[in-house]
Amino acid sequence: MAYTISNECIGCMACAKICPTNAVTGEKKQIHAIDPAACIECGACGRVCPSRAVLDHFGLAFERIPKKEWDCPQFDLKTCMSCTICLDTCPVSAISQALLLKGNPHLFPVLADEALCIGCGFCAGDCPADAVTMVPRNRESRTEETEKA
Amino acid sequence: MTTPKGYMGKIMMVDLTTGAIETEKISPKVYQSFLSGMGLAAHILYHRIPAGADPLGQENILGFVSGLLTGTGSLFTGRWMVTGLSPLTGGWGEANCGGSFSPAIKRCGVDGIFFKGISEKPVYLCVDDQGARLETAEAVWGKDAVEAETALIEKHPNARVACIGQAGEKRSLISGVSTDKGRLAARSGLGAVMGSKNLKALVLAGKKRIRVHNREEMKRLSKICNKWVQFQPPFVPGWLTAPVGALMRILPFVATQDGLLYKIMLRKWGTVSMNQISVEMGDSPIKNWMGSSADWGFFKSFSSQPDRFTRQETEKFHCYSCPLGCGGICKTKGRFPETHKPEYETVLSFGGFIMNKDVDLIFYLNELLNRAGMDTISAGHAVAFAMECYEKGIITTGHTGGRALEWGDPDDIKFLVEAMVARDGIGDLLADGVKRAAESIGPEAEAIALHCAGQEPAMHDSRNDPGFALHYSVDPAPGRHTNGAGLYYEMYQLWKKVKGVPKMGPAYMKSSKYKKDIHHARVGKANSVYLNVMNGAGACLFGGFIGATRIRIFDWLNGATGWQFTPEDYMEIGANIQVLKQAFNIKQGLDPKTCRVPDRLLGRPVQTRGANKGRTVDVETMMKDYWELFGWDRETGRPTEETVNRIASIA
């Protein structure tokens, strides 16, 4: 299954630019198309589309959400087991690792640059320990959480 | 056709001669019969490598496979495997490695990437959004594995790389394939196959999703597993591990080992936790299998006590989907700033096995060999072989360029290993393993060359655990310690999940380990079969050691695929894979009888002191019993034609 683009498309290229797998093809001002073999259903195209032209596999259109309101992952370091599944599953390689807890030699995931994150939530969905939750972007509160842990 | 769950349902076949890259669909029946990973590879290679193929020639196929459970939300399932016709043994070749490469294969939309033919010029395979293509590797050919990986990632950011170092390029028959800057799929000499194909690396940057039948169930099972992994009570300091081993040596009985104890040690130190325990209890061979714990006592082995390694560790290294993290990155003195924490096998094969106490040298050799992409087990054997040959006058200063070789001398060891990496002088001889070296030196050397059909056995003494003798001898890729052992079976606790496998009580008399009875063969069969299931799933052996009720491989497999197989069904699958690998060897003309471990490893002549004093292992009977349990010919180890045809006809 893959997402599709409807006739509402205005050919603005926003989805093509953000697609992490280069699955969107199409010229400017022409209706774009999604290559079903390449689409990973991250939904980034839908979140940037200004004309509600991206449909999920139920045929429902995505609402555009301003980027500053996108969710991004927050890691609960107490439940995290450093398994790196989130690092691998992230389609834009936005997650890296660092020594975050004093005296603990295990590396923990960190979203160093929020701007890289496309808010797909794969990291939260795939985490076997349920240590990742998607929260609204707000650097201050996320940092606090990390420090508390 | 329904969308595959758990596995990707396709393989990639790359013809290096023509440059053609094709993706093939594989029938669900194949996955249901052989799983993915090593089972899938056995299915592909059995059919497609013709009999009598040259391991370093056009016809050999080199396969990189991922596990069925990789990327499905299961834990300890990030192993990838490299397979092919081994130039070292002339039969089934396999090597297994962790790191982050396994999911990268599946994210390219395939379960395995196979290479046939030979490229005219050095190339690497790149798979990304633009598809799969071969690119010139001129810029990285000649570079070591760490330099090559760094350069390739610079060019292809966020890609995962598997590559060979100089050893593979120079077709050293004891070379492997490196990933994550020095983690090696080391055994079976498959680095040489990659080198012979002029294939420097695989650079994978696919982003495909891995579909799962029931992700919530996968998570539920993973949480059960993780709970046991996080259970970490305090354990003795490193220097006290040796007395623990000594106690295990002295006691006349053995408590059936619960892998949780080993898990605690792995979490704390990694595999180096076993350094001194193994020596003391008689598990670690000393001085090219001639010595014993009496020659390498507490004070001599003290330099390798586990705290010594964690002191240099800057961070833990977790393979993909591993909650434990037995690996580590260590800072080192001298030429290389850092290295992966040396593993037990490396420390012992360059420690007591060649009578070396200099641990800084081990750190150096570890990094040198990781970068060259050379197997440290076989390399340690080659050094020990050279030293014993020199001691016995079989080789002289004429062979060594004027150098007198002495057991344990750091300069001599360094000289030999550096010469092997450079394939220089005597190093050229040793770089193809002890069998080839002995063949060119002469018949006296052949008694000292300790190998199973060409592959050097590992740092686990078959006189201490006869299970090692059996698996070194009967596995289609002989000489490997990961295939099975009596101890492994105790830790798997399979009888708690699977009907019809031998049960074990809480303790047993040590002497019963050496009794001749069918129990050992039954345990051996269960070991082989379960390992095949784990290798099909891409599971880690150390994960398996936590015990079958805690790491639910069978349930994960059902949860990932939607199948409703019983543990017994999976064991049947494992048995079929074993048949296919054995049939592969028969097809290639490797006689199973010739894979037997050499006499010295069996206590012939018997040791007169140390932990394994007075022990001999009747491996011949064990082998026959094992073959018979599989339904194979008791005398020749050949599966019947009907069995092979039945399994080979699955497509």
Side-chain angles (χ1 to χ4, degrees):
Chain A
M1 297 295 277
Y3 293 169
T4 47
I5 295 178
S6 73
N7 292 341
E8 303 289 319
C9 175
I10 54 168
C12 71
M13 306 283 289
C15 58
K17 265 184 223 144
I18 198 155
C19 176
T21 62
N22 293 315
V24 183
T25 48
E27 298 295 313
K28 214 167 179 179
K29 293 189 176 164
Q30 282 175 7
I31 293 180
H32 298 344
I34 296 175
D35 173 5
C39 176
I40 55 169
E41 302 174 17
C42 66
C45 48
R47 284 187 287 279
V48 294
C49 177
S51 57
R52 291 170 48 97
V54 178
L55 310 178
D56 69 9
H57 47 250
F58 298 107
L60 301 173
F62 278 88
E63 285 293 339
R64 179 170 186 232
I65 306 170
K67 205 169 178 184
K68 63 176 190 298
E69 288 172 24
W70 287 6
D71 285 348
C72 68
Q74 174 176 291
F75 305 100
D76 176 3
L77 304 191
K78 271 180 278 185
T79 26
C80 173
M81 47 189 181
S82 307
C83 74
T84 75
I85 285 178
C86 54
L87 267 79
D88 176 78
T89 203
C90 178
V92 287
S93 304
I95 304 171
S96 53
Q97 286 178 294
L99 289 169
L100 294 179
L101 301 182
K102 214 176 166 193
N104 187 332
H106 298 270
L107 295 165
F108 289 95
V110 58
L111 181 64
D113 185 359
E114 275 178 10
L116 287 175
C117 175
I118 54 168
C120 65
F122 287 173
C123 48
D126 285 5
C127 174
D130 286 329
V132 189
T133 35
M134 296 300 284
V135 297
R137 294 182 183 217
N138 179 332
R139 184 169 289 278
E140 273 166 37
S141 76
R142 285 201 310 115
T143 317
E144 252 171 52
E145 280 299 314
T146 309
E147 275 168 12
K148 254 190 269 168
Chain B
M1 201 173 99
T2 51
T3 321
K5 304 275 177 66
Y7 57 90
M8 310 306 281
K10 289 178 199 161
I11 59 164
M12 188 183 287
M13 185 61 78
V14 182
D15 186 336
L16 290 164
T17 307
T18 64
I21 302 176
E22 279 165 17
T23 308
E24 277 177 45
K25 275 193 181 157
I26 301 293
S27 133
K29 181 84 189 138
V30 170
Y31 293 94
Q32 286 166 10
S33 308
F34 308 113
L35 307 177
S36 180
M38 201 65 83
L40 173 68
H43 169 74
I44 302 287
L45 300 192
Y46 174 77
H47 290 287
R48 302 194 194 189
I49 301 180
D54 172 6
L56 301 180
Q58 291 271 359
E59 292 170 328
N60 196 1
I61 299 176
L62 185 69
F64 295 79
V65 285
S66 173
L68 202 161
L69 285 178
T70 302
T72 60
S74 51
L75 302 181
F76 289 109
T77 47
R79 306 292 294 185
W80 61 280
M81 292 140 271
V82 54
T83 63
L85 174 59
S86 165
L88 199 54
T89 66
W92 175 254
E94 66 176 60
N96 188 309
C97 189
S100 59
F101 192 69
S102 185
I105 296 173
K106 284 172 100 164
R107 294 209 181 278
C108 294
V110 294
D111 295 301
I113 303 176
F114 294 84
F115 295 88
K116 60 183 176 185
I118 291 177
S119 169
E120 204 178 307
K121 290 201 168 128
V123 288
Y124 67 91
L125 175 78
C126 178
V127 188
D128 59 15
D129 296 341
Q130 268 84 53
R133 61 197 178 275
L134 292 168
E135 295 201 6
T136 170
E138 301 283 2
V140 286
W141 196 259
K143 283 191 195 300
D144 72 39
V146 174
E147 291 166 347
E149 182 176 337
T150 309
L152 288 166
I153 288 179
E154 212 164 278
K155 197 170 166 201
H156 306 272
N158 302 321
R160 302 290 181 200
V161 173
C163 64
I164 49 170
Q166 310 93 309
E169 288 180 13
K170 292 179 181 171
R171 301 183 196 185
S172 153
L173 298 191
I174 56 171
S175 62
V177 185
S178 162
T179 183
D180 289 276
K181 299 188 179 164
R183 294 191 79 84
L184 224 61
R187 310 238 64 198
S188 299
L190 295 168
V193 176
M194 198 159 157
S196 74
K197 294 194 173 303
N198 267 331
L199 177 67
K200 177 69 179 177
L202 283 76
V203 179
L204 308 183
K207 289 171 185 159
K208 293 265 191 299
R209 297 285 289 159
I210 299 158
R211 292 180 191 279
V212 172
H213 171 70
N214 185 347
R215 195 168 279 280
E216 287 315 306
E217 171 69 355
M218 300 302 284
K219 283 192 185 188
R220 186 184 73 80
L221 298 165
S222 293
K223 281 176 183 156
I224 295 171
C225 178
N226 184 42
K227 191 180 75 189
W228 291 101
V229 175
Q230 302 301 330
F231 170 72
Q232 186 70 7
F235 195 65
V236 297
W239 61 272
L240 261 177
T241 54
V244 170
L247 187 70
M248 289 166 86
R249 180 182 72 226
I250 296 160
L251 290 175
F253 61 88
V254 191
T256 303
Q257 182 91 233
D258 187 315
L260 267 196
L261 175 66
Y262 186 43
K263 190 292 295 180
I264 291 164
M265 291 162 63
L266 279 178
R267 177 91 170 166
K268 183 167 178 176
W269 292 294
T271 55
V272 289
S273 57
M274 294 304 290
N275 289 352
Q276 280 194 288
I277 293 186
S278 275
V279 173
E280 290 298 329
M281 68 188 262
D283 175 46
S284 171
I286 305 297
K287 203 178 180 185
N288 206 23
W289 303 83
M290 289 186 291
S292 71
S293 56
D295 304 297
W296 198 249
F298 178 81
F299 293 106
K300 284 186 178 159
S301 64
F302 187 73
S303 58
S304 68
Q305 68 101 348
D307 287 340
R308 172 73 175 70
F309 294 83
T310 37
R311 269 207 296 276
Q312 277 176 243
E313 190 177 54
T314 52
E315 62 194 42
K316 295 281 184 191
F317 181 91
H318 286 245
C319 296
Y320 173 78
S321 79
C322 174
L324 193 149
C326 71
I329 305 295
C330 292
K331 54 182 189 305
T332 61
K333 295 174 193 154
R335 188 172 145 198
F336 305 114
E338 63 174 34
T339 185
H340 275 280
K341 182 168 62 189
E343 299 292 344
Y344 163 87
E345 293 293 331
T346 308
V347 177
L348 269 295
S349 59
F350 287 106
F353 197 65
I354 51 174
M355 310 296 273
N356 167 42
K357 286 190 242 176
D358 184 345
V359 173
D360 283 326
L361 175 67
I362 295 177
F363 273 94
Y364 167 74
L365 296 177
N366 182 58
E367 183 63 10
L368 181 76
L369 290 169
N370 287 354
R371 283 171 175 259
M374 191 181 275
D375 176 9
T376 55
I377 298 173
S378 291
H381 267 83
V383 171
F385 165 80
M387 287 181 164
E388 194 183 334
C389 280
Y390 188 86
E391 187 182 52
K392 298 198 165 145
I394 298 165
I395 60 170
T396 59
T397 46
H399 290 89
T400 61
R403 184 179 277 267
L405 299 178
E406 204 174 307
W407 286 104
D409 184 286
D411 290 332
D412 294 345
I413 297 164
K414 198 166 162 227
F415 160 77
L416 286 172
V417 178
E418 286 176 348
M420 282 161 67
V421 170
R423 288 208 84 132
D424 187 22
I426 188 172
D428 187 37
L429 208 62
L430 298 172
D432 287 330
V434 297
K435 184 184 176 203
R436 294 338 187 268
E439 278 167 2
S440 60
I441 292 168
E444 317 96 296
E446 287 184 21
I448 294 166
L450 304 172
H451 60 85
C452 303
Q455 179 142 253
E456 295 78 2
M459 294 298 120
H460 295 282
D461 203 317
S462 33
R463 292 163 295 204
N464 177 61
D465 184 339
F468 282 115
L470 176 68
H471 289 280
Y472 285 156
S473 306
V474 291
D475 198 83
R480 294 167 76 245
H481 65 292
T482 48
N483 293 328
L487 178 67
Y488 295 3
Y489 188 73
E490 294 174 26
M491 296 198 279
Y492 291 154
Q493 302 185 339
L494 266 187
W495 60 89
K496 294 183 178 173
K497 276 300 263 190
V498 183
K499 292 186 200 104
V501 297
K503 284 197 175 75
M504 297 199 69
Y508 56 89
M509 294 308 288
K510 206 183 268 172
S511 55
S512 70
K513 279 206 283 187
Y514 308 97
K515 253 199 236 153
K516 263 191 217 176
D517 60 24
I518 193 76
H519 173 77
H520 295 109
R522 291 179 63 213
V523 165
K525 182 183 173 190
N527 264 331
S528 294
V529 165
Y530 186 51
L531 188 77
N532 284 339
V533 175
M534 289 211 289
N535 283 345
C540 168
L541 188 65
F542 298 158
F545 289 167
I546 298 175
T549 54
R550 299 167 183 146
I551 174 163
R552 310 268 188 94
I553 306 267
F554 305 122
D555 300 324
W556 266 330
L557 283 166
N558 284 342
T561 56
W563 302 336
Q564 287 173 335
F565 291 172
T566 62
E568 294 75 31
D569 292 336
Y570 283 112
M571 294 297 274
E572 186 64 39
I573 290 174
N576 288 349
I577 298 170
Q578 194 73 1
V579 171
L580 218 44
K581 293 197 289 186
Q582 187 81 346
F584 179 95
N585 278 356
I586 308 277
K587 182 176 168 185
Q588 294 300 337
L590 179 62
D591 180 357
K593 287 202 298 294
T594 60
C595 301
R596 178 174 77 74
V597 284
D599 283 347
R600 194 185 283 181
L601 279 66
L602 298 168
R604 303 173 194 158
V606 73
Q607 289 208 303
T608 52
R609 57 195 215 129
N612 298 316
K613 185 174 133 185
R615 288 176 184 160
T616 15
V617 180
D618 178 10
V619 80
E620 288 86 351
T621 309
M622 289 169 80
M623 288 166 76
K624 287 176 185 173
D625 290 345
Y626 174 95
W627 289 333
E628 194 170 16
L629 279 177
F630 271 97
W632 305 346
D633 187 283
R634 189 179 160 81
E635 297 303 320
T636 62
R638 285 167 173 264
T640 63
E641 216 166 296
E642 299 96 275
T643 311
V644 175
N645 288 343
R646 175 176 58 81
I647 294 165
S649 64
I650 297 168

